[in-house]
Amino acid sequence: MELGIVGLGRMGANMAERLIRGSHRVVGYDPHKETVDRVVEKGLVGAYSLDKMLQKLSPPRIIWLMIPAGEPIDKAIQDMLPRLDRGDIIIDGGNSNYKDTVRRSMSLQDNGIQYVDVGTSGGIWGITEGYSMMVGGSKEAVEHLKPIFETLAPSPDKGWGHVGPSGSGHFVKMVHNGIEYGLMQSFAEGFALMNRKKEFSLDLKQVAEIWRYGSVVRSWLLDLISQALTEDANLTDVEPYVADSGEGRWAVFEAVDQDLATPVITLSLLQRLSSREKDDYVDKLLAVMREQFGGHDVKRRK
């Protein structure tokens, strides 16, 4: 199977490489020529404009967008639309607001173009571990794309699924990220409490390793915490600034719209906002966890 990928940042490039290893033909475009060249070395068919990428794909074309949510997605669709044909499929694999996804899908229907949203989790580790994918769109489109999802997933029948119509994939991913906020906050607070108990001189790396096996709180996040603490248990060079990329906010807004109390997710979001005002071990560890699983930038002390 062949597809085009627009956006060859770290995650887009990793997905392209995993697909190439799975014997898919991948044509890739990125505004930065050197970024394209880097993935060409892995077997990518390079394209240096959207036009060239579309020309190198056979109809019906599959175009996977791995670019920032919001206006960049709308602009990419607008740029491609005059060159697309009925039956082509656009996949949004980023963290778009599900309401934008529903709007885009309805707009493209009149042009006979399918719009599939794939809430994607796995961060920088997906290239080796596989990606968790929450897929929204028509049954026909998702069935056609099945070989791609089976290649990207941890295994063909695990870690991905068609969850509903257009918008549902990004909706489920929004909730996923809200839960992630709460889990991260809980781990960070617990380790901060142990770090504060100076008279016990606890080795937090050792505690993380103990909990990784047999404990009811064992998880991938805990694995990443253990790895981060190996590098610097006191997180001395990490600024206590925790970014949020939007999904947690959207989850809280949605909960309010649905008259549903989500205190843990809401408070974890507020804690991220407050991190910009104080110096706290909790926030340092939250920042490091985001770096470990997603490759997100961490502010370091100079």
Side-chain angles (χ1 to χ4, degrees):
M1 200 166 196
E2 71 169 18
L3 72 155
I5 294 182
V6 179
L8 296 171
R10 194 167 184 181
M11 193 165 176
N14 284 353
M15 294 178 77
E17 186 173 344
R18 188 173 174 92
L19 287 165
I20 291 165
R21 291 177 185 173
S23 299
H24 297 275
R25 180 177 183 267
V26 182
V27 182
Y29 163 70
D30 190 276
H32 302 95
K33 180 181 182 298
E34 63 275 12
T35 302
V36 178
D37 292 340
R38 200 157 45 238
V39 192
V40 165
E41 296 175 2
K42 307 291 185 180
L44 179 84
V45 178
Y48 299 95
S49 70
L50 278 175
D51 267 346
K52 292 295 183 183
M53 187 196 74
L54 293 173
Q55 290 171 15
K56 293 182 179 185
L57 293 170
S58 303
R61 292 166 291 188
I62 301 167
I63 303 100
W64 189 308
L65 304 179
M66 285 302 294
I67 57 181
E71 187 177 344
I73 298 286
D74 287 320
K75 186 177 187 308
I77 293 172
Q78 290 168 7
D79 289 346
M80 289 190 297
L81 192 55
R83 305 167 180 83
L84 296 179
D85 299 316
R86 300 183 73 85
D88 288 345
I89 300 174
I90 297 175
I91 305 169
D92 181 358
N95 286 320
S96 289
N97 188 305
Y98 80 93
K99 295 178 182 178
D100 288 336
T101 300
V102 172
R103 168 181 57 81
R104 291 167 185 145
S105 177
M106 292 179 64
S107 175
L108 289 167
Q109 280 180 3
D110 293 338
N111 300 89
I113 296 165
Q114 297 267 20
Y115 196 73
V116 174
D117 50 301
V118 181
T120 309
S121 181
I124 59 177
W125 297 89
I127 187 171
T128 54
E129 304 298 320
Y131 297 90
S132 172
M133 292 168 291
M134 300 134 260
V135 184
S138 73
K139 182 178 180 181
E140 295 75 20
V142 174
E143 185 64 28
H144 180 67
L145 299 170
K146 189 175 177 181
I148 294 173
F149 301 138
E150 289 179 338
T151 301
L152 290 173
S155 66
D157 61 342
K158 289 183 175 65
W160 79 277
H162 182 200
V163 298
S166 292
S168 63
H170 282 150
F171 179 84
V172 174
K173 179 57 162 50
M174 176 190 73
V175 177
H176 165 283
N177 282 27
I179 293 170
E180 177 187 293
Y181 277 34
L183 291 172
M184 291 173 66
Q185 184 69 33
S186 183
F187 271 124
E189 290 178 6
F191 276 87
L193 182 58
M194 291 186 287
N195 184 62
R196 186 70 63 88
K197 194 69 173 175
K198 300 301 183 184
E199 59 264 42
F200 285 161
S201 300
L202 296 172
D203 181 342
L204 299 189
K205 160 68 176 175
Q206 179 196 31
V207 173
E209 281 297 302
I210 293 170
W211 287 358
R212 286 180 63 208
Y213 303 97
S215 165
V216 295
V217 298
R218 64 186 183 273
S219 69
W220 186 43
L221 278 176
L222 190 57
D223 297 342
L224 297 176
I225 289 171
S226 177
Q227 181 172 317
L229 293 178
T230 300
E231 299 165 6
D232 178 11
N234 293 318
L235 309 178
T236 50
D237 67 336
V238 177
E239 291 283 357
Y241 183 100
V242 189
D244 70 287
S245 51
E247 299 89 338
R249 296 186 187 216
W250 300 338
V252 171
F253 298 157
E254 185 68 25
V256 172
D257 288 344
Q258 299 296 334
D259 291 327
L260 179 68
T262 55
V264 173
I265 295 173
T266 302
L267 287 174
S268 64
L269 171 64
L270 295 178
Q271 282 297 116
R272 291 196 177 197
L273 299 180
S274 71
S275 76
R276 295 145 205 194
E277 303 171 2
K278 56 186 173 60
D279 189 341
D280 195 305
Y281 189 90
V282 171
D283 299 319
K284 290 182 179 183
L285 192 55
L286 284 170
V288 168
M289 276 190 266
R290 293 182 81 249
E291 178 187 41
Q292 288 286 327
F293 68 72
H296 302 289
D297 290 337
V298 170
K299 290 192 175 184
R300 303 281 179 181
R301 297 191 190 278
K302 296 180 180 179

